Amino acid sequence: MDALAAYSWFGQLSLVVSVVAVCWTMVWQNLEHIRLQQFFARNFNRRARRLAAIVDPFLSVTFEEYEGGRIKSSDAFKEVRSYLTTASTRGVRHLRAESGGERDGGGGDRLLLSMAKGEEVPDAFRGATVWWSADAVPPLRDAVPWSRASRTERRFYRLEFHESHRDLVLEEYIPYVRKQGRAIMVQNRQRRLYTNISREGYDDGWYEDVWTHVPFDHPKTFDKLAMDPEKKKEIIADLDMFRNGKEYHDRVGKPWKRGYLLYGPPGTGKSTMVAAMANYLKYDVYDFELTSVKTNTELRKLLIETKSKSIMVFEDIDCSLDLTGKRKTKEEEDDKDDDDKDADPRRGGKKDAKSKVTLSGLLNFIDGLWSACGEERLIVFTTNHVDKLDPALIRTGRMDKKIEMSYCDFESFRFLARMHLDEDVEGHELFAAARALLEEVNMVPVDVGEHLTRKSVDDDAGTCLARLVKALEKAKEEAAKPEAAQAAEEDGAKGIVVQAKADGN
């Protein structure tokens, strides 16, 4: 009986252990779902932060140089940097110097000073004291050795303040700093002429130097532009309407941009028209070199890094890319695929890095979703052959204003004569002769201006007008030659060449 009782007791114990084991397994599985370790860690960290807040009751806000996954430079960073050019010049031992702006006549010897890396400066706002510091994160160690990230510091500003001033700093002080920073940027702004550089090597997302620039100080203005006065007045009125059109564009839901197409023969002043527009509006100029842009993605990256209040110029658009809209044949696509196989993996492209920017990519750039990245910008296309452009590229809505830059007419000639000869020459007998010839002969304004330019100290209005009349008469004679005579001359010249080759043999 004792053995039977012991066996029964052992069986009951085994059953209890089995039940306990099953229950524990179920409980443990649920605890794993709860992530018990993380649960305790979170609660510990919360209490640790509360304890740290008692010991160190200061908060911080960091303004990094890049935002959006390092794809765009931060406007807030630039505004803080500009604000600190005035707030940090006192009480700081190490300063960083940058060239001055336009308010002293284009920069001059004036310097804009801000605190250097590792410095700290206090600032007061409505009874609260805050501290600004400048620092930078070293280049990424795990970045590709030849990439820009492997050699570029990531700069940032840090703002520290007492927790009791949290609402004041976040809701009032930071907006105040940004507003003041924007005002200082406008005050010290030096207009620039940008061009996109060809970036060889691995593209890792650091786009600080996708544009290179020089100061924009082109002297051409509308007052110095040879053009029909009524046409000039029309263009200026259109620019004024655009510049004051923010409310209108917001109301109708359109990006604040406008497209201009300048077309006409070489030498008619298309580039100088762009300079006059930039000087009138006080905008920066971005000169796009499409042949050095490899892909549509790279084109979008360039767009992201352009600023508002700027003119984006695509000169000789018909020569920059194949924008006729024609589709490639199957054989051409196969050849392209074969070329793509012959690539350098480090550089991520072909040995012969031909541009792959397409018509659809350019259309999306100027009129698609990406066109709204920024505001108050003009997009200007220039071309010598408007008939070669795809109609989709120059339709209304993309190119809103089409301006024909034509040959020199009487108004342009009179303007050029007054400007180059610096006197009233309309009563000169050669002035009338030149005017009559210009009605018969096509000559671009740049050539007319060149003939009217004084070549020596002995030149006067008479010699300059005589030079122009002579050039016009020669052009008239060339134009008057019958086509048959010109063809005969060409055939005769070919015969002489053939005979010379025969004699040589």
Side-chain angles (χ1 to χ4, degrees):
M1 291 296 293
D2 293 339
L4 183 60
Y7 180 77
S8 176
W9 178 84
F10 183 76
Q12 293 175 358
L13 179 62
S14 298
L15 180 61
V16 171
V17 170
S18 299
V19 172
V20 170
V22 171
C23 293
W24 173 252
T25 300
M26 295 174 63
V27 171
W28 180 253
Q29 287 177 349
N30 283 279
L31 287 176
E32 283 187 333
H33 288 295
I34 297 175
R35 298 178 181 269
L36 193 61
Q37 182 178 3
Q38 289 84 347
F39 173 78
F40 285 116
R42 284 198 304 270
N43 281 274
F44 176 79
N45 290 335
R46 288 170 185 167
R47 284 160 177 76
R49 284 195 297 269
R50 291 175 183 174
L51 179 62
I54 297 174
V55 178
D56 181 16
F58 287 88
L59 307 178
S60 67
V61 178
T62 301
F63 298 84
E64 296 184 349
E65 188 174 8
Y66 288 91
E67 61 186 18
R70 301 198 305 269
I71 198 172
K72 183 182 185 299
S73 54
S74 170
D75 291 335
F77 177 89
K78 296 175 184 176
E79 291 157 357
V80 168
R81 181 178 58 188
S82 296
Y83 175 80
L84 293 177
T85 60
T86 56
S88 66
T89 53
R90 297 180 180 179
V92 176
R93 294 178 57 85
H94 303 287
L95 296 172
R96 178 177 179 177
E98 297 177 282
S99 59
E102 287 184 328
R103 65 179 180 180
D104 63 342
D109 297 328
R110 183 175 175 275
L111 293 175
L112 301 179
L113 302 176
S114 60
M115 59 180 171
K117 174 182 173 181
E119 288 289 339
E120 184 179 79
V121 61
D123 193 21
F125 181 78
R126 297 184 182 179
T129 301
V130 299
W131 290 265
W132 288 99
S133 59
D135 210 337
V137 177
L140 299 175
R141 292 184 178 181
D142 56 348
V144 180
W146 55 83
S147 67
R148 195 174 296 111
S150 65
R151 51 185 169 82
T152 305
E153 287 187 328
R154 292 171 290 172
R155 298 183 297 172
F156 62 87
Y157 289 106
R158 178 171 286 122
L159 170 64
E160 296 187 7
F161 52 92
H162 196 278
E163 187 177 14
S164 60
H165 300 140
R166 179 189 183 101
D167 293 339
L168 176 66
V169 171
L170 297 182
E171 297 178 9
E172 298 185 40
Y173 177 68
I174 291 180
Y176 165 80
V177 168
R178 298 194 63 181
K179 181 179 179 180
Q180 293 297 314
R182 285 194 295 270
I184 294 171
M185 289 169 66
V186 171
Q187 185 180 28
N188 295 323
R189 181 170 176 259
Q190 183 180 33
R191 292 191 298 124
R192 294 171 174 176
L193 172 62
Y194 293 86
T195 185
N196 52 298
I197 60 177
S198 180
R199 293 179 290 116
E200 298 293 339
Y202 184 81
D203 189 1
D204 51 28
W206 291 87
Y207 309 122
E208 182 181 11
D209 58 351
V210 294
W211 291 103
T212 184
H213 62 81
V214 296
F216 181 77
D217 52 7
H218 198 289
K220 184 62 72 175
T221 61
F222 279 111
D223 293 337
K224 303 173 185 176
L225 190 65
M227 178 181 283
D228 177 51
E230 292 301 321
K231 191 173 184 180
K232 189 187 303 185
K233 189 183 300 184
E234 178 188 341
I235 295 171
I236 292 174
D238 190 82
L239 293 174
D240 286 335
M241 182 183 65
F242 169 76
R243 179 167 51 184
N244 301 320
K246 178 175 175 56
E247 181 180 349
Y248 164 75
H249 286 83
D250 289 342
R251 185 172 71 250
V252 300
K254 290 175 59 178
W256 192 6
K257 65 177 184 62
R258 188 162 178 80
Y260 276 74
L261 176 65
L262 309 181
Y263 64 95
T268 51
K270 295 183 288 295
S271 297
T272 52
M273 169 64 78
V274 173
M277 294 166 66
N279 284 326
Y280 182 76
L281 295 171
K282 300 188 183 302
Y283 283 4
D284 293 325
V285 177
Y286 288 87
D287 183 15
F288 279 78
E289 180 54 59
L290 284 179
T291 55
S292 67
V293 182
K294 305 309 177 189
T295 63
N296 293 333
T297 300
E298 189 172 321
L299 184 63
R300 288 193 291 268
K301 293 172 185 175
L302 288 169
L303 173 64
I304 290 171
E305 283 300 320
T306 59
K307 301 176 183 178
S308 298
K309 295 182 181 294
S310 62
I311 300 178
M312 294 184 285
V313 183
F314 299 81
E315 290 200 280
D316 297 322
I317 188 66
D318 55 303
C319 302
S320 299
L321 294 172
D322 180 14
L323 298 177
T324 60
K326 295 179 180 178
R327 300 293 184 264
K328 293 184 177 181
T329 64
K330 183 65 169 64
E331 291 77 7
E332 290 173 330
E333 291 291 345
D334 292 340
D335 291 341
K336 176 179 175 295
D337 292 339
D338 292 339
D339 290 340
D340 289 343
K341 293 177 182 178
D342 188 13
D344 184 350
R346 293 192 311 164
R347 296 183 180 273
K350 301 184 295 182
K351 290 182 178 180
D352 181 16
K354 185 179 179 180
S355 176
K356 299 179 184 177
V357 176
T358 63
L359 175 61
S360 61
L362 185 60
L363 295 180
N364 189 43
F365 175 89
I366 64 175
D367 193 35
L369 294 175
W370 289 89
S371 65
C373 296
E375 59 181 14
E376 198 173 351
R377 293 186 297 196
L378 294 181
I379 301 174
V380 179
F381 285 173
T382 72
T383 179
N384 298 334
H385 308 284
V386 67
D387 55 304
K388 291 185 178 181
L389 298 180
D390 191 288
L393 185 66
I394 59 175
R395 69 164 175 79
T396 302
R398 289 177 177 142
M399 294 294 106
D400 306 286
K401 184 75 173 175
K402 300 178 179 66
I403 304 173
E404 181 180 6
M405 309 294 290
S406 190
Y407 295 102
C408 189
D409 56 13
F410 169 66
E411 292 295 338
S412 299
F413 166 57
R414 182 167 61 177
F415 176 87
L416 289 169
R418 290 176 177 176
M419 183 172 63
H420 285 279
L421 302 179
D422 196 22
E423 57 182 286
D424 187 5
V425 296
E426 293 191 35
H428 199 287
E429 59 180 357
L430 291 177
F431 182 89
R435 174 181 179 178
L437 286 168
L438 280 171
E439 293 177 356
E440 304 178 46
V441 180
N442 288 332
M443 182 173 286
V444 295
V446 68
D447 288 341
V448 174
E450 180 62 25
H451 292 307
L452 292 175
T453 301
R454 301 177 190 269
K455 306 298 182 182
S456 68
V457 293
D458 297 327
D459 271 349
D460 57 15
T463 58
C464 292
L465 286 171
R467 186 165 52 240
L468 173 61
V469 168
K470 184 178 179 180
L472 288 169
E473 288 176 343
K474 183 178 179 180
K476 181 179 178 180
E477 292 175 2
E478 293 292 333
K481 287 183 180 180
E483 294 184 2
Q486 293 184 7
E489 288 183 5
E490 293 176 0
D491 292 341
K494 292 179 181 178
I496 293 173
V497 173
V498 172
Q499 183 62 38
K501 290 183 177 179
D503 294 342
N505 292 332

